[in-house]
Amino acid sequence: MSWNTFGRLLRVTTFGESHGPAIGAVVDGCPPGIPLKEADIQPWLDKRRPGQSRHTTQRREPDRVKILSGVFRDDIITEQVTTGAPIGLLIENVDQRSKDYSAIRDKFRPGHADYTYEAKYGLRDYRGGGRSSARETAMRVAAGAVARKIIPQVEIRAALVQMGPHRINWDNWSWAEVDNNPFFCPDAEAAKVWENYLDSLRKAGDSVGAVVEVIATGAPAGWGAPLFARLDQDIAAALMSIPAAKGVEIGAGFRAAELTGSENADEIYIHDGQARFTKNNSGGVLGGISSGQDIVARMAVKPTSSILAPRRTITRSGEETEIVTKGRHDPCVGIRAVPVAEAMMALVLADQFLMHRAQTGRG
Amino acid sequence: MSWNTFGRLLRVTTFGESHGPAIGAVVDGCPPGIPLKEADIQPWLDKRRPGQSRHTTQRREPDRVKILSGVFRDDIITEQVTTGAPIGLLIENVDQRSKDYSAIRDKFRPGHADYTYEAKYGLRDYRGGGRSSARETAMRVAAGAVARKIIPQVEIRAALVQMGPHRINWDNWSWAEVDNNPFFCPDAEAAKVWENYLDSLRKAGDSVGAVVEVIATGAPAGWGAPLFARLDQDIAAALMSIPAAKGVEIGAGFRAAELTGSENADEIYIHDGQARFTKNNSGGVLGGISSGQDIVARMAVKPTSSILAPRRTITRSGEETEIVTKGRHDPCVGIRAVPVAEAMMALVLADQFLMHRAQTGRG
Amino acid sequence: MSWNTFGRLLRVTTFGESHGPAIGAVVDGCPPGIPLKEADIQPWLDKRRPGQSRHTTQRREPDRVKILSGVFRDDIITEQVTTGAPIGLLIENVDQRSKDYSAIRDKFRPGHADYTYEAKYGLRDYRGGGRSSARETAMRVAAGAVARKIIPQVEIRAALVQMGPHRINWDNWSWAEVDNNPFFCPDAEAAKVWENYLDSLRKAGDSVGAVVEVIATGAPAGWGAPLFARLDQDIAAALMSIPAAKGVEIGAGFRAAELTGSENADEIYIHDGQARFTKNNSGGVLGGISSGQDIVARMAVKPTSSILAPRRTITRSGEETEIVTKGRHDPCVGIRAVPVAEAMMALVLADQFLMHRAQTGRG
Amino acid sequence: MSWNTFGRLLRVTTFGESHGPAIGAVVDGCPPGIPLKEADIQPWLDKRRPGQSRHTTQRREPDRVKILSGVFRDDIITEQVTTGAPIGLLIENVDQRSKDYSAIRDKFRPGHADYTYEAKYGLRDYRGGGRSSARETAMRVAAGAVARKIIPQVEIRAALVQMGPHRINWDNWSWAEVDNNPFFCPDAEAAKVWENYLDSLRKAGDSVGAVVEVIATGAPAGWGAPLFARLDQDIAAALMSIPAAKGVEIGAGFRAAELTGSENADEIYIHDGQARFTKNNSGGVLGGISSGQDIVARMAVKPTSSILAPRRTITRSGEETEIVTKGRHDPCVGIRAVPVAEAMMALVLADQFLMHRAQTGRG
């Protein structure tokens, strides 16, 4: 991982600002011969796309991805496949609403990266958040769609499990329900509560945090490594690299701090000739290496700091002032973080699959 | 980060098993001219060393570090300094108690890496946990001591803030107290509670999880980067790479999920001509870049799975059985994770300092 | 360096095939605040562009570069500058002549990558050479133009010093002459010889190799490192990564093998208070680190294997056959390698400048 | 490659100075289950060891390597094998002759790294050359021995093919002869010429350059990649990273510049059902990827600058002076570069084998 590149062997480099002509990504290191067309990527982008309900920002972007390179078909290879060359992906920015940015040009929005960008770089592209815009995550979703094709044996799904103070009831979990509500909520009951809660927040011009849970099913035992190529370390880095993420946990996570050793360790037995575990406090990772169980991670997302209430802040020239962040914003950015978390998990797992294959010769 | 190397510009590579002749590390990329002698490293190792109270494993290792390379002094440069060459560090293993490992050779300890190592590599060095031994963390502490010398303006301290169900009272926080009890506990009241709690656990042959909080003071605004060299991402990776870590959070962390935008964002004002923040929910990181506030992270540590109660497990040949993990173990490995968390934070910050200096020419 | 990314801190990732919709690059790690507009890049691309004389391929591409991201200007910052974000660069492919590729689809062209791509990937994009097309080097030239802006104190120039058996006379060297002939030849006499020689080769449908010399002036002493971040190692890797390169040398290069120690070492003296060297057999690099002298490297370029004479080869299905490679080809690809060699040198030096600044705090 | 680490997946990090307590290396990313004991490494070190004839430096070091980690054996696995953990290697420095270094402390030896180290780091460890000592290459040879075990199907051999102005006759090439003379010379005739030549140089207190040729037999078609993981690029970087290397070439190398396309390209035919090439101007690499032919590279080594004739130089304080470099030196360092070149080729190939297996699933 360096600057704008994620991954060791499957390497994704993203570029582009919210208000430039386009955003893009290069997915490098993809194995050859994998079927890949734009229609494999677009559905994941559509899931992430804003403006699909009143609960997300009303910025409207078609987010049409183009594959610029790295794929091939001809008269003989009629299904388009990857060639092993880098896959260039591009999405043109369409809805670059020309507006007056002078307010945020001169003031630092609290909770945003304005102050730190300026401290680091001496300047910043303030239009639409520039590089820190949630828009960048579209390219992660596109790259993640490629990653999924590399490890088709693994199913990667995420859901929102907490919105503000309201958690789901895990006993109600239904993957089918996730697509039935605008929150990626696996608990129909909770979804109703959230709907009212979010409506009231939106009316108040406020926002709220959330927790995303991402689960990967089907990864074999053996992916990861003991020290600095740990699977759980990579997942933590991947999820924490998502804008607004403030916490990451694997399996029992912070709850593990409260457990005794006799409560925590997942016992092992044999079922149908296979090793099985009595529960999954480990979250599918032991000693940095996958155990064959579901890989389970959660990410805490903070509320967006773009709210209607005026906040104290300072100007670029160091004077105290107030700011109100108007515009098209998500009252709960955690919702749209769900497909992004899936994508980052897919990127980690595909990379670890390649690392494992490199060292051991097995998949 | 790759296999056993951590960092981009300040790169630490560790090697060695618990029961081999020695463990070691190479610290590469260190700036030249920095005063460094073994006495700068040893005190941090002494903090981590086991066997200093009844609350940690009774394995007794002097953990004497030797600097093998990368430093220089002569008649003119009388204070030993770094040369810019890689710094080789070595600790000889002394207490390699010769014992019978046949039980863990043939059985997988639940909650340990035994099963996943075997699944990945087809074999494992089971003596003392091999590469997954907590002993490896001694080299991180040694490397972290070097990192501290690179950024002397930053003070990095950690403490245990939760043991099992018992949290400290943050209002009681005293750094002075941290060295007054065997738990690195900043709350004298909590320390008393923990002492009794841990005694009872140890007698029961059980163990418990914990939460470590690490705080870095003095880092300027500007370290980090927006995407995949984020400061918070690096901290998450660094802490999650510590054995037994199951969760990581920055600033308000998982609590941020419960907050509204109006509650969460730290407002900005001017004090003594400097930007100040009304609180520190961000944990000192905005948009992946340090804000100049204290950098605050927490890590959840699971209980060690080595306990006296028999647990169900399977043998290497796939038969169901039971195992009891005897031996010298920490009832709360979170305690000894405290100096390790400090070291990993130091490594991240020194690396980010160099990255920032590279890109911007400023420190 | 990995897959399609070059550099450690200044990282260039290229993508795109000859006959896809576009080729592109991401230049990551660029310092902020550097003036950069398309007009800074285009002239270097124009130098490399084919079809400018009868001596290069008649493929005609305008090679118009677009900057997609990483730059900024507004009412206050009126000169467009870099922001520190990744710089996306794109060139649309225009002249994708639709033609019949069935000959090279089924046969491996000797001396080309056809056989090895197929052996590695199991398939290949044979249209226009796919990823191995010289077209990819346009993006290196574009990225190199960015690199030059990072180290404006360094002037990087290259020239063709040998075409087939005909070498220049180094005593005739004139940088002014380099732009006066279609060969980037610094020796007016040699240019005349080459013109006739190349005309005869083109008529014969043959091609020829060449040697490029690249010289960087103005780099201070101190860039590079002793072992695996050596400046000369990086230059060797950079030049050898150019398609058709078969050899690289620094300073006296292979001639150094013939010299005695008393002949070879450049003695040091003082001139105007500065260290000077009596000659430059070292090529400006001592122990992997720049000495402040001109950095001098040479690269041998093989003749293109696309010639009119029929050659023995085999088909994909393993049958012996013959092939004639028709089409628009360079009789001496070494000519167009000149701006590419400059670009790669610029990328190496800008990266090493950042590495040096990281470790030592000096530029 | 960064600072002191070489390789992407098989990663070697070296440390240690000539006159410190020890030199060492960490070989990381090695596949598990590979038989490895010290006796597999020692013979290669013995080949490189100085003091075995009058033609190399008389410094006498036993160069006994110790494996500190990453291997395992027990009652069941009785042949020691790698575990997949990092392999720590250590050689203690024995012959650290205590002598007066004041001459080179204050003066820069022309042709050495003294001036550039001082320019970069502001200080240098001048004892025995510190990090730039040829002694560092012992660790590369040790690491290369591990690499060989990863790709046992590949035989890697090198020879000296030119000493000063005296080249071998390639028609006389005999691998058997290489071990019959103290020069690793494959041509018995040339060896006699060299012996007299080197005796006269040594008596004159002078030194001379050389060319090493390294050949890898048995690598399959498919290792390498088109752009920045090119096999030829990696070989160039690997060989150029050896101290005193000034040039690198693959296959026809610089001679390719003189050839026409009709002369250069190796035609392809079928023999015993396998693709064969009529000659090997490509040096076994096409488009950055191995072709299955022998991989052939050459490296030019400059003469050591440590000679008895006084040379002009300057002091650290910038005054002109003279220097004579006494001590134990190799009149032709190219001789001892032979096993080092083999080791670097082995490291490149083993790394590329792992990279290829990662991306394609094949070996």
Side-chain angles (χ1 to χ4, degrees):
Chain A
M1 276 164 277
S2 191
W3 304 134
N4 293 274
T5 300
F6 184 86
R8 295 179 190 84
L9 287 173
L10 184 72
R11 301 166 68 82
V12 178
T13 303
T14 73
F15 64 92
E17 284 85 31
S18 172
H19 285 233
I23 56 174
V26 186
V27 181
D28 201 7
C30 184
I34 294 177
L36 183 72
K37 53 188 185 305
E38 281 149 7
D40 292 320
I41 303 174
Q42 194 62 49
W44 304 106
L45 284 167
D46 292 345
K47 270 183 79 174
R48 194 210 70 97
R49 195 159 33 111
Q52 303 190 85
S53 82
R54 68 182 183 278
H55 304 293
T56 56
T57 170
Q58 295 306 300
R59 174 170 175 149
R60 294 194 183 273
E61 288 281 1
D63 278 355
R64 282 280 141 209
V65 68
K66 274 188 270 184
I67 300 178
L68 296 182
S69 64
V71 292
F72 183 72
R73 67 189 162 98
D74 65 5
D75 300 344
I76 296 163
I77 303 170
T78 53
E79 183 183 16
Q80 182 169 286
V81 294
T82 59
T83 62
I87 299 164
L89 301 171
L90 203 76
I91 296 175
E92 286 176 30
N93 287 330
V94 173
D95 186 13
Q96 310 163 48
R97 205 175 282 190
S98 163
K99 67 171 204 183
D100 181 6
Y101 286 105
S102 57
I104 60 169
R105 183 187 64 194
D106 297 325
K107 296 177 180 180
F108 300 127
R109 291 168 296 166
H112 279 277
D114 300 347
Y115 174 74
T116 53
Y117 272 46
E118 197 91 21
K120 184 177 190 75
Y121 300 116
L123 81 163
R124 72 183 203 281
D125 181 351
Y126 45 77
R127 298 161 306 181
R131 190 66 182 144
S132 65
S133 163
R135 194 147 174 63
E136 180 271 338
T137 61
M139 295 322 305
R140 305 196 194 197
V141 171
V146 178
R148 288 175 197 265
K149 303 281 287 186
I150 298 172
I151 45 169
Q153 69 274 39
V154 184
E155 186 171 24
I156 297 157
R157 294 179 292 190
L160 207 68
V161 297
Q162 180 179 341
M163 180 186 288
H166 306 291
R167 302 184 187 199
I168 65 160
N169 180 340
W170 265 262
D171 293 335
N172 292 346
W173 192 292
S174 158
W175 282 115
E177 185 57 36
V178 165
D179 296 324
N180 283 345
N181 60 69
F183 312 112
F184 302 113
C185 178
D187 173 357
E189 303 277 316
K192 283 179 216 154
V193 176
W194 294 1
E195 182 158 22
N196 291 328
Y197 177 65
L198 208 55
D199 279 340
S200 67
L201 274 174
R202 197 177 51 254
K203 281 167 198 159
D206 211 342
S207 63
V208 74
V211 174
V212 176
E213 181 165 324
V214 55
I215 300 176
T217 305
W223 291 1
L227 266 291
F228 302 121
R230 289 174 77 96
L231 179 54
D232 39 5
Q233 168 206 287
D234 281 11
I235 292 170
L239 296 181
M240 198 64 106
S241 77
I242 298 173
K246 298 303 289 182
V248 179
E249 58 181 15
I250 310 286
F254 274 86
R255 203 169 50 81
E258 301 176 21
L259 300 177
T260 61
S262 49
E263 292 163 339
N264 180 63
D266 312 321
E267 292 175 283
I268 317 177
Y269 65 100
I270 297 290
H271 181 82
D272 279 349
Q274 298 290 314
R276 288 284 183 87
F277 297 83
T278 54
K279 52 192 185 306
N280 192 6
N281 279 331
S282 77
V285 186
L286 283 167
I289 299 170
S290 64
S291 67
Q293 289 192 279
D294 281 2
I295 298 166
V296 181
R298 274 173 303 280
M299 162 179 65
V301 182
K302 72 174 183 181
T304 180
S305 306
S306 298
I307 54 174
L308 286 184
R311 317 301 298 163
R312 291 176 66 189
T313 192
I314 62 172
T315 65
R316 291 188 68 206
S317 46
E319 282 151 27
E320 299 200 341
T321 183
E322 283 199 336
I323 192 165
V324 173
T325 319
K326 296 166 198 155
R328 303 164 294 175
H329 294 292
D330 286 311
C332 179
V333 286
I335 300 171
R336 286 172 57 218
V338 170
V340 182
E342 287 182 356
M344 294 309 296
M345 178 67 91
L347 289 172
V348 166
L349 291 176
D351 186 48
Q352 286 283 6
F353 158 70
L354 297 177
M355 292 287 280
H356 181 64
R357 187 159 75 174
Q359 194 178 17
T360 69
R362 284 171 290 119
Chain B
M1 276 166 276
S2 191
W3 303 133
N4 293 275
T5 299
F6 185 86
R8 297 179 189 84
L9 287 172
L10 184 72
R11 303 167 67 82
V12 177
T13 303
T14 73
F15 63 93
E17 284 85 31
S18 172
H19 285 232
I23 57 175
V26 186
V27 181
D28 201 7
C30 184
I34 294 177
L36 183 72
K37 53 189 186 301
E38 281 148 7
D40 293 318
I41 304 174
Q42 195 61 48
W44 304 105
L45 284 166
D46 291 346
K47 270 182 80 174
R48 194 209 71 97
R49 194 157 37 107
Q52 303 189 86
S53 81
R54 69 182 183 278
H55 304 292
T56 56
T57 170
Q58 296 307 299
R59 174 170 176 151
R60 294 194 183 276
E61 286 281 1
D63 279 353
R64 283 278 142 210
V65 68
K66 273 187 269 183
I67 300 178
L68 296 182
S69 63
V71 292
F72 183 71
R73 67 189 163 98
D74 65 5
D75 299 344
I76 296 163
I77 304 170
T78 52
E79 183 183 16
Q80 183 168 286
V81 294
T82 59
T83 62
I87 299 164
L89 301 171
L90 203 77
I91 296 175
E92 285 177 32
N93 287 329
V94 172
D95 186 14
Q96 309 163 49
R97 206 177 280 190
S98 165
K99 68 174 203 181
D100 182 6
Y101 285 105
S102 57
I104 60 169
R105 182 187 67 193
D106 298 326
K107 296 177 181 180
F108 301 128
R109 292 167 297 166
H112 279 276
D114 300 347
Y115 174 73
T116 54
Y117 272 46
E118 196 91 21
K120 182 175 193 75
Y121 300 115
L123 81 163
R124 71 183 203 280
D125 181 351
Y126 45 76
R127 298 160 306 181
R131 190 66 181 144
S132 64
S133 163
R135 194 146 172 63
E136 181 270 340
T137 61
M139 294 322 304
R140 306 195 193 197
V141 171
V146 178
R148 288 176 197 266
K149 302 281 287 187
I150 297 171
I151 45 168
Q153 70 273 40
V154 185
E155 185 172 25
I156 298 157
R157 294 179 292 189
L160 207 68
V161 297
Q162 181 180 339
M163 180 186 288
H166 306 292
R167 300 184 187 199
I168 65 159
N169 179 340
W170 265 262
D171 293 334
N172 292 347
W173 192 292
S174 157
W175 282 116
E177 185 58 34
V178 165
D179 296 325
N180 283 345
N181 60 69
F183 311 112
F184 302 112
C185 178
D187 173 358
E189 303 275 317
K192 284 179 215 152
V193 175
W194 295 0
E195 182 158 22
N196 291 328
Y197 178 65
L198 209 55
D199 279 341
S200 68
L201 274 174
R202 198 177 51 252
K203 279 166 197 159
D206 211 342
S207 63
V208 75
V211 174
V212 176
E213 182 166 322
V214 55
I215 300 175
T217 304
W223 291 2
L227 265 293
F228 302 121
R230 289 175 77 96
L231 180 54
D232 39 5
Q233 168 205 287
D234 281 12
I235 292 170
L239 296 181
M240 199 65 105
S241 77
I242 298 173
K246 298 303 288 184
V248 178
E249 58 182 16
I250 310 287
F254 274 87
R255 203 169 50 81
E258 301 176 21
L259 300 177
T260 62
S262 49
E263 293 164 337
N264 181 62
D266 312 321
E267 293 175 283
I268 317 177
Y269 63 100
I270 297 290
H271 181 83
D272 280 348
Q274 298 290 314
R276 288 283 182 87
F277 298 82
T278 54
K279 52 194 185 305
N280 192 6
N281 278 332
S282 77
V285 186
L286 284 167
I289 299 170
S290 63
S291 67
Q293 289 192 279
D294 280 2
I295 298 167
V296 181
R298 274 173 301 281
M299 163 178 65
V301 182
K302 71 175 183 180
T304 180
S305 305
S306 298
I307 54 174
L308 287 184
R311 318 299 299 163
R312 291 175 66 190
T313 193
I314 62 173
T315 65
R316 291 189 66 204
S317 48
E319 282 150 28
E320 298 199 342
T321 183
E322 283 198 337
I323 192 166
V324 173
T325 318
K326 296 166 198 155
R328 303 164 293 173
H329 295 291
D330 286 309
C332 179
V333 285
I335 300 170
R336 284 172 57 218
V338 170
V340 182
E342 287 182 355
M344 293 310 295
M345 177 67 91
L347 289 172
V348 167
L349 291 176
D351 187 47
Q352 286 283 6
F353 158 71
L354 297 178
M355 292 287 280
H356 181 63
R357 188 158 75 174
Q359 195 179 15
T360 69
R362 285 172 289 119
Chain C
M1 276 166 276
S2 190
W3 305 131
N4 293 274
T5 299
F6 185 86
R8 296 179 189 84
L9 286 173
L10 184 72
R11 301 166 68 83
V12 178
T13 303
T14 73
F15 64 93
E17 284 85 31
S18 172
H19 286 232
I23 56 174
V26 187
V27 181
D28 201 6
C30 185
I34 294 177
L36 183 72
K37 53 188 185 304
E38 283 149 7
D40 293 320
I41 303 174
Q42 194 60 49
W44 304 106
L45 284 166
D46 292 345
K47 271 183 78 173
R48 193 210 72 96
R49 193 158 36 106
Q52 302 190 85
S53 82
R54 68 181 183 278
H55 303 294
T56 56
T57 170
Q58 295 306 300
R59 174 168 175 152
R60 294 195 183 274
E61 288 280 2
D63 279 355
R64 283 279 141 208
V65 69
K66 274 187 268 183
I67 301 178
L68 295 182
S69 63
V71 292
F72 184 71
R73 68 189 162 99
D74 64 7
D75 299 344
I76 296 163
I77 303 171
T78 53
E79 183 183 15
Q80 182 168 285
V81 294
T82 58
T83 62
I87 299 164
L89 301 171
L90 204 76
I91 295 175
E92 286 177 29
N93 288 329
V94 173
D95 186 14
Q96 310 162 48
R97 205 174 281 190
S98 162
K99 67 173 206 184
D100 181 6
Y101 285 105
S102 57
I104 60 169
R105 182 187 65 193
D106 298 326
K107 296 177 179 179
F108 301 128
R109 292 168 296 166
H112 279 277
D114 300 348
Y115 174 74
T116 54
Y117 272 46
E118 197 91 22
K120 182 176 192 75
Y121 299 115
L123 81 163
R124 72 183 202 281
D125 181 352
Y126 44 77
R127 299 162 304 181
R131 190 67 182 144
S132 65
S133 164
R135 194 146 175 63
E136 179 271 341
T137 61
M139 294 323 303
R140 306 195 194 198
V141 171
V146 179
R148 287 176 198 266
K149 302 281 287 188
I150 298 171
I151 45 169
Q153 69 274 40
V154 184
E155 185 171 27
I156 298 157
R157 295 179 291 189
L160 207 67
V161 297
Q162 181 180 338
M163 180 185 288
H166 307 291
R167 301 184 187 198
I168 64 160
N169 180 340
W170 266 261
D171 293 335
N172 293 346
W173 192 292
S174 157
W175 283 115
E177 185 57 35
V178 165
D179 296 325
N180 284 345
N181 60 68
F183 311 112
F184 302 113
C185 177
D187 173 357
E189 303 276 315
K192 285 179 215 155
V193 175
W194 294 2
E195 182 158 21
N196 292 328
Y197 178 65
L198 209 55
D199 280 339
S200 68
L201 274 175
R202 197 176 53 253
K203 281 166 198 160
D206 211 342
S207 63
V208 75
V211 175
V212 177
E213 181 166 323
V214 55
I215 300 176
T217 305
W223 291 1
L227 266 291
F228 302 121
R230 289 176 76 96
L231 179 55
D232 40 4
Q233 168 206 287
D234 280 12
I235 292 170
L239 296 181
M240 199 65 106
S241 78
I242 298 173
K246 297 304 288 184
V248 179
E249 58 181 15
I250 309 285
F254 274 88
R255 203 169 51 81
E258 300 176 21
L259 300 177
T260 61
S262 49
E263 293 164 338
N264 181 63
D266 312 320
E267 292 174 283
I268 317 176
Y269 64 100
I270 297 290
H271 181 83
D272 280 348
Q274 298 289 315
R276 288 284 183 85
F277 297 83
T278 53
K279 52 194 185 305
N280 191 6
N281 278 331
S282 78
V285 186
L286 283 168
I289 298 170
S290 63
S291 67
Q293 290 194 277
D294 280 2
I295 298 166
V296 181
R298 274 173 302 279
M299 162 178 66
V301 182
K302 72 175 182 180
T304 179
S305 305
S306 298
I307 55 173
L308 286 183
R311 317 301 298 163
R312 293 175 65 190
T313 192
I314 62 173
T315 65
R316 290 188 69 206
S317 47
E319 282 151 28
E320 298 200 342
T321 183
E322 283 199 338
I323 193 165
V324 173
T325 320
K326 296 164 198 156
R328 302 164 293 174
H329 295 292
D330 286 310
C332 179
V333 286
I335 299 171
R336 286 171 57 218
V338 169
V340 182
E342 287 182 357
M344 294 309 296
M345 177 67 90
L347 289 171
V348 166
L349 291 176
D351 186 47
Q352 286 283 6
F353 157 71
L354 296 177
M355 292 286 281
H356 181 63
R357 188 159 75 175
Q359 194 178 16
T360 69
R362 284 172 289 119
Chain D
M1 275 166 275
S2 191
W3 304 132
N4 292 276
T5 300
F6 184 87
R8 296 178 189 84
L9 287 173
L10 184 71
R11 303 167 66 83
V12 178
T13 303
T14 73
F15 63 92
E17 284 85 31
S18 171
H19 285 231
I23 57 175
V26 187
V27 181
D28 200 8
C30 184
I34 293 177
L36 182 72
K37 53 189 186 302
E38 282 149 7
D40 293 318
I41 303 174
Q42 195 62 48
W44 304 106
L45 284 167
D46 292 346
K47 270 182 80 174
R48 194 209 70 97
R49 195 159 35 113
Q52 301 189 86
S53 81
R54 70 181 182 278
H55 303 293
T56 55
T57 169
Q58 295 306 299
R59 175 169 173 151
R60 295 193 183 275
E61 287 281 1
D63 278 355
R64 282 280 141 209
V65 68
K66 273 188 269 183
I67 300 178
L68 296 181
S69 63
V71 293
F72 183 71
R73 66 190 164 97
D74 65 5
D75 298 345
I76 296 163
I77 303 170
T78 53
E79 184 183 14
Q80 183 168 286
V81 294
T82 58
T83 62
I87 300 164
L89 300 171
L90 204 76
I91 296 176
E92 286 176 31
N93 288 329
V94 172
D95 187 13
Q96 309 161 48
R97 206 175 281 190
S98 164
K99 68 173 204 182
D100 181 6
Y101 286 105
S102 56
I104 60 169
R105 182 186 66 193
D106 298 325
K107 297 177 181 181
F108 301 128
R109 291 167 297 166
H112 279 275
D114 299 346
Y115 174 74
T116 54
Y117 273 45
E118 196 92 23
K120 183 175 192 75
Y121 300 115
L123 81 164
R124 71 183 202 280
D125 181 351
Y126 45 77
R127 297 161 306 182
R131 190 67 181 143
S132 65
S133 164
R135 195 147 172 63
E136 180 271 342
T137 62
M139 294 323 304
R140 305 195 194 198
V141 170
V146 178
R148 288 176 197 265
K149 302 281 288 189
I150 298 171
I151 45 169
Q153 70 272 40
V154 184
E155 185 172 25
I156 298 157
R157 294 179 292 189
L160 207 68
V161 297
Q162 181 181 338
M163 179 185 287
H166 306 291
R167 299 184 188 200
I168 64 159
N169 180 341
W170 266 262
D171 293 335
N172 293 346
W173 192 292
S174 158
W175 283 115
E177 185 58 33
V178 165
D179 296 326
N180 283 344
N181 60 69
F183 312 113
F184 302 113
C185 177
D187 173 358
E189 303 276 316
K192 284 180 214 153
V193 175
W194 295 0
E195 181 158 22
N196 291 328
Y197 178 65
L198 209 55
D199 279 340
S200 68
L201 274 174
R202 197 176 52 253
K203 280 167 198 157
D206 210 342
S207 64
V208 74
V211 174
V212 176
E213 182 166 322
V214 55
I215 300 175
T217 304
W223 292 1
L227 266 290
F228 303 121
R230 289 176 77 97
L231 180 55
D232 39 4
Q233 168 205 286
D234 281 12
I235 293 170
L239 296 182
M240 199 66 105
S241 77
I242 298 173
K246 297 304 288 184
V248 179
E249 59 181 15
I250 310 286
F254 274 87
R255 203 169 51 80
E258 300 177 21
L259 300 177
T260 62
S262 49
E263 292 164 337
N264 180 64
D266 312 320
E267 294 176 281
I268 318 177
Y269 64 100
I270 297 289
H271 181 82
D272 280 350
Q274 298 290 315
R276 288 284 183 86
F277 297 84
T278 54
K279 52 195 184 306
N280 192 6
N281 278 331
S282 77
V285 186
L286 283 166
I289 299 170
S290 64
S291 67
Q293 288 193 279
D294 280 1
I295 297 166
V296 181
R298 275 173 300 282
M299 162 178 66
V301 182
K302 72 175 183 181
T304 180
S305 305
S306 298
I307 55 174
L308 286 184
R311 317 300 299 164
R312 290 175 66 190
T313 193
I314 61 173
T315 64
R316 291 189 68 204
S317 47
E319 282 151 28
E320 299 200 342
T321 182
E322 283 200 337
I323 192 165
V324 172
T325 320
K326 295 166 198 155
R328 302 164 294 173
H329 295 291
D330 286 310
C332 179
V333 285
I335 299 170
R336 286 171 57 217
V338 169
V340 182
E342 287 182 356
M344 294 310 295
M345 177 67 90
L347 289 171
V348 166
L349 292 175
D351 186 48
Q352 286 283 7
F353 158 71
L354 297 177
M355 291 287 281
H356 181 63
R357 187 158 75 174
Q359 194 179 17
T360 69
R362 284 172 288 119

